[in-house]
Amino acid sequence: MSSRLHEYQVIGRKLPTEKDQTPKLYRMRLFAPNEVVAKSRFWYFLKKVDKVKKAAGEIVAINEIFEKKPTTVKNFGIWLRYDSRSGTHNMYKEYRELTRNAAVAACYQDMASRHRARFSNIHIIKVATVKAADVRRAYMTQIIDPKLKFPLAHRVGRPSSKRYAKTFVAARPTTL
């Protein structure tokens, strides 16, 4: 399943002038649905960091970052900041997903459902993989257990071939 969000590395700077021939480069890792939104978020955050706006700057490079092992389940810790109706809050959340993109997408969904926070009001500060021993949240520790088992409910016994199939059977099937 492909995620709606992608991770981009955007590198940009202020336009070179006669006074400053080689301006400082700024690199950001951003989560966005496409490159256009990633560039827009880059300028939004750069305006907060330095006195640079899109008209007086340039994007040097934009690359999509892919997961090294998208088939193994990992624990992700996400540090974020969001604007609510009452103020700005910092938060740390944990998710168990296959990729960083999926973890961040789950975070956006979680923030929307629990806190009514919109995409534009959520600022992802940092995303890191967390070892099983370092997991802080109780809802994550119960999932990490290696002996975790789930019941296989409603298992219907099927005949090995069509010739053993019966239209009517005297006893009810046991499905547990």
Side-chain angles (χ1 to χ4, degrees):
M1 187 183 113
S2 65
S3 179
R4 189 180 73 86
L5 290 175
H6 303 277
E7 187 177 7
Y8 293 100
Q9 172 183 275
V10 185
I11 303 168
R13 65 179 184 173
K14 199 183 250 187
L15 283 170
T17 58
E18 289 173 18
K19 190 191 269 184
D20 190 11
Q21 293 288 331
T22 55
K24 191 173 167 186
L25 287 168
Y26 293 94
R27 181 177 71 93
M28 289 183 202
R29 288 175 79 158
L30 301 162
F31 293 91
N34 54 45
E35 284 188 15
V36 176
V37 177
K39 287 178 193 175
S40 175
R41 296 291 277 178
F42 173 79
W43 291 119
Y44 170 80
F45 288 121
L46 192 59
K47 221 179 285 178
K48 290 178 177 287
V49 174
D50 198 1
K51 248 177 103 175
V52 181
K53 60 181 186 175
K54 189 181 173 187
E58 66 179 350
I59 287 180
V60 177
I62 184 163
N63 312 91
E64 189 173 347
I65 299 169
F66 296 98
E67 194 77 28
K68 282 181 186 159
K69 293 182 179 178
T71 54
T72 56
V73 179
K74 296 168 278 299
N75 307 315
F76 291 100
I78 299 177
W79 287 262
L80 61 103
R81 179 187 188 109
Y82 81 101
D83 298 320
S84 71
R85 292 178 185 130
S86 58
T88 306
H89 313 281
N90 293 319
M91 204 176 273
Y92 170 75
K93 290 187 149 293
E94 289 176 343
Y95 298 93
R96 191 164 168 82
E97 292 285 346
L98 292 169
T99 62
R100 289 167 58 98
N101 295 346
V104 171
C107 179
Y108 277 117
Q109 289 294 324
D110 189 35
M111 291 299 293
S113 65
R114 291 178 199 269
H115 304 281
R116 304 295 182 263
R118 311 291 183 264
F119 177 82
S120 58
N121 296 340
I122 301 168
H123 304 156
I124 303 288
I125 297 166
K126 180 179 158 188
V127 179
T129 51
V130 181
K131 291 188 190 118
D134 299 333
V135 169
R136 299 186 213 170
R137 302 289 183 251
Y139 60 85
M140 287 288 292
T141 52
Q142 66 185 0
I143 301 170
I144 291 172
D145 183 23
K147 294 175 188 162
L148 183 69
K149 289 182 180 178
F150 293 100
L152 297 169
H154 199 78
R155 298 180 77 189
V156 179
R158 303 275 181 210
S160 57
S161 72
K162 197 169 181 175
R163 72 177 186 193
Y164 297 119
K166 293 187 172 94
T167 311
F168 303 105
V169 183
R172 280 189 159 194
T174 51
T175 59
L176 292 174

